[in-house]
């Protein structure tokens, strides 16, 4: 007979297997070859091969110094106009934006270069997720992969300092050479998916990220009644704000802290400021095992070196007991108590899953709360 701890571990394994299986079952046939276990050297080679394929004109348009700064604003053009007092372009993210104006599917790039971009992505994401993101791009924009995505390369791929950022509708991702940067992934990242439209159908059918939401809700069910009451937040869901129109103000280090917070504000809370929801320090050991299963589900899309960065950052800031988990009663699709919106926070961790009206995921994980970031709602 299994002990309770082993039973919890078995549940965790089942959660991970169910998440992986749900994603794999939803994917199209394999269209691109990649493998797990990409190293920093693999990333460097992939970015350098892409970089070396660029013409001088292409480099002028999409390659930047490592510390390139810009006074970025929503839809501001040109983004590449340097401003020494601006934000670090390589640490900016949004749920929908083009970091440079040339779409990957345009004539600015060759077919060979488009394949090289997928090779770069394959050093960040596991093979199934490279394909999943290609599908997400088509679902959300009606365009094939590359129709609404762009890239920028920061630093010199021949050196030990380099990052390739790939952005677009519902995407900010990074392939970075450094393993010891302040932030996991080399900076904040974001995802999204709306396969059944802006107002997704109840239950998020076909959404490649909803298995993560199901896993989070299984965690909620493993809490006792008192813990569930503490975890459930009645109001102040971080959401895009309307001031006549959507508030797309850039959130940077010096931006005033608002309550309720903007959806895109995933800065780490100030010292002494309480995060909403349930303090995970109150969980029993078996429940912590279950929470570890959620973390594993969240990092499942990424190559092991990035998953390990998240684990390392989490451990250095005190592990899950130093975090909080909030489920939001607001905007519960179907009003069924299956929580579409939830947020995991730690001293230097924000993982925000907004499932209404469709899925957005905002991710910022670091070794230190001083890790630079800026965001806006795209």
């Amino acid at each position: 007979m299994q002990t309770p701890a082993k039973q919890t571990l078995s549940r965790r394994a089942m959660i991970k297997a169910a998440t992986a299986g749900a994603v794999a079952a939803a994917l199209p046939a394999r269209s691109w070859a990649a493998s797990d276990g990409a190293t920093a050297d693999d990333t460097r080679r992939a970015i350098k091969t892409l970089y070396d394929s660029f013409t001088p004109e292409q480099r002028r348009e999409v390659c930047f110094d490592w510390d390139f700064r810009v006074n970025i604003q929503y839809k501001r053009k040109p983004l590449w106009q340097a401003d020494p007092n601006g934000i670090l372009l390589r640490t900016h993210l949004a749920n929908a934006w083009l970091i440079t104006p040339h779409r990957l599917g345009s004539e600015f790039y060759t077919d060979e270069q488009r394949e090289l971009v997928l090779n770069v992505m394959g050093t960040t994401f596991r093979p199934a997720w490279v394909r999943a993101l290609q599908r997400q791009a088509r679902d959300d924009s009606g365009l094939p992969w590359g129709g609404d995505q762009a890239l920028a390369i920061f630093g010199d791929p021949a050196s030990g300092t380099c990052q390739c950022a790939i952005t677009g509708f519902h995407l900010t991702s990074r392939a970075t050479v450094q393993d010891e940067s302040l932030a996991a992934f080399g900076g904040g990242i974001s995802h999204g998916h709306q396969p059944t439209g802006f107002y997704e159908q109840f239950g998020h059918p076909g959404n490649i990220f909803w298995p993560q939401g199901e896993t989070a809700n299984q965690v909620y069910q493993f809490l006792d009644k008192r813990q569930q009451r503490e975890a459930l937040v009645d109001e102040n869901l971080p959401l895009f704000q309307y001031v006549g129109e959507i508030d797309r103000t850039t959130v940077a280090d010096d931006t005033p802290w608002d309550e309720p917070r903007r959806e895109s504000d995933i800065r780490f809370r100030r010292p002494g400021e309480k995060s909403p929801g349930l303090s995970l320090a109150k969980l029993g050991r078996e429940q912590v095992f279950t929470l570890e299963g959620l973390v594993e589900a969240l990092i499942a899309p990424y190559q092991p070196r990035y998953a390990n960065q998240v684990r390392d950052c989490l451990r250095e800031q005190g592990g899950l007991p130093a975090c909080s988990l909030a489920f939001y009663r607001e905007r519960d699709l179907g009003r069924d108590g299956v929580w579409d919106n939830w947020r995991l926070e730690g001293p230097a961790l924000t993982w925000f899953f907004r499932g209404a009206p469709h899925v957005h995921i905002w991710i910022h994980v670091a070794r230190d709360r001083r890790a630079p970031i800026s965001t806006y709602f795209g």
Side-chain angles (χ1 to χ4, degrees):
M1 181 174 180
Q2 289 182 318
T3 65
K6 288 183 178 179
Q7 289 174 346
T8 306
L9 284 170
S10 296
R11 289 198 296 267
R12 179 175 58 170
M14 290 173 62
I15 288 171
K16 292 166 64 177
T19 301
V23 171
L27 295 178
R30 189 181 186 92
S31 61
W32 174 78
S35 60
D36 282 341
T39 66
D41 284 341
D42 293 328
T43 301
R44 181 183 294 106
R45 282 192 292 269
I47 298 176
K48 187 176 187 303
T49 301
L50 175 63
Y51 180 89
D52 289 347
S53 76
F54 288 157
T55 66
E57 177 191 0
Q58 288 175 312
R59 290 186 187 180
R60 284 193 299 270
E61 297 283 341
V62 302
C63 298
F64 304 88
D65 291 338
W66 179 249
D67 288 325
F68 179 82
R69 291 179 177 269
V70 63
N71 180 15
I72 195 168
Q73 299 173 28
Y74 175 70
K75 286 193 174 180
R76 180 181 184 274
K77 297 180 181 179
L79 286 182
W80 59 89
Q81 183 174 317
D83 180 346
N85 298 315
I87 59 94
L88 282 169
L89 183 57
R90 66 176 164 82
T91 64
H92 185 73
L93 78 149
N95 56 295
W97 68 304
L98 297 175
I99 193 167
T100 50
H102 300 287
R103 289 167 170 81
L104 295 177
S106 71
E107 293 183 356
F108 184 79
Y109 296 99
T110 67
D111 288 342
E112 178 187 7
Q113 287 171 334
R114 281 184 273 275
E115 288 298 312
L116 294 176
V117 172
L118 290 179
N119 289 343
V120 172
M121 285 188 65
T123 69
T124 299
F125 297 95
R126 291 182 181 271
W129 281 91
V130 176
R131 303 193 303 276
L133 292 174
Q134 291 174 278
R135 173 194 150 188
Q136 170 261 312
R138 184 183 292 275
D139 286 347
D140 291 355
S141 68
L143 301 171
W145 168 258
D148 199 17
Q149 288 76 38
L151 68 76
I153 292 177
F154 298 91
D156 182 354
S159 74
T161 304
C162 184
Q163 179 186 117
C164 179
I166 299 173
T167 75
F169 189 38
H170 285 163
L171 180 67
T172 298
S173 71
R174 309 180 194 282
T176 186
V177 171
Q178 295 88 316
D179 278 321
E180 298 300 323
S181 64
L182 278 179
F185 306 104
I189 61 174
S190 66
H191 299 291
H193 197 193
Q194 54 182 53
T196 55
F198 184 87
Y199 295 97
E200 272 197 282
Q201 293 178 15
F202 171 66
H204 306 273
N207 193 300
I208 61 175
F209 297 106
W210 182 237
Q212 296 180 353
E214 292 176 316
T215 303
N217 275 274
Q218 289 175 340
V219 168
Y220 179 81
Q221 295 303 319
F222 294 156
L223 303 177
D224 63 34
K225 295 300 182 184
R226 178 187 58 79
Q227 291 168 335
Q228 288 181 349
R229 288 194 297 271
E230 289 189 43
L232 193 57
V233 178
D234 288 330
E235 56 186 7
N236 288 343
L237 168 67
L239 199 64
F240 50 86
Q241 297 178 3
Y242 288 91
V243 182
E245 58 183 18
I246 293 177
D247 183 354
R248 303 187 192 271
T249 303
T250 297
V251 179
D253 289 341
D254 58 353
T255 303
W257 293 81
D258 293 334
E259 293 294 351
R261 301 208 168 170
R262 296 177 176 89
E263 174 181 328
S264 61
D265 191 347
I266 54 173
R267 293 175 294 176
F268 306 133
R269 293 184 185 268
R270 294 160 291 188
E273 183 181 9
K274 185 180 184 301
S275 300
L278 173 68
S279 169
L280 301 186
K282 299 180 180 181
L283 297 188
R285 182 180 176 185
E286 297 170 16
Q287 292 173 315
V288 171
F289 285 148
T290 302
L291 262 294
E292 289 173 351
L294 173 59
V295 173
E296 293 302 311
L298 298 181
I299 60 180
Y302 310 104
Q303 285 281 355
R305 66 180 287 246
Y306 292 101
N308 286 334
Q309 288 175 6
V310 173
R311 295 188 189 102
D312 291 344
C313 290
L314 182 58
R315 181 174 56 253
E316 289 182 23
Q317 57 185 278
L320 284 169
C323 299
S324 66
L325 180 61
F327 297 87
Y328 291 90
R329 194 187 300 273
E330 290 180 273
R331 304 213 174 204
D332 172 20
L333 299 182
R335 298 183 179 181
D336 59 350
V338 176
W339 309 117
D340 300 276
N341 307 289
W342 45 274
R343 189 176 180 109
L344 178 66
E345 289 195 23
L349 180 150
T350 304
W351 206 296
F352 178 37
F353 190 105
R354 191 217 75 182
H358 59 265
V359 170
H360 283 178
I361 306 174
W362 302 81
I363 302 165
H364 186 27
V365 184
R367 302 176 185 276
D368 190 296
R369 65 172 69 244
R370 295 169 297 178
I373 190 172
S374 65
T375 61
Y376 61 57
F377 186 88

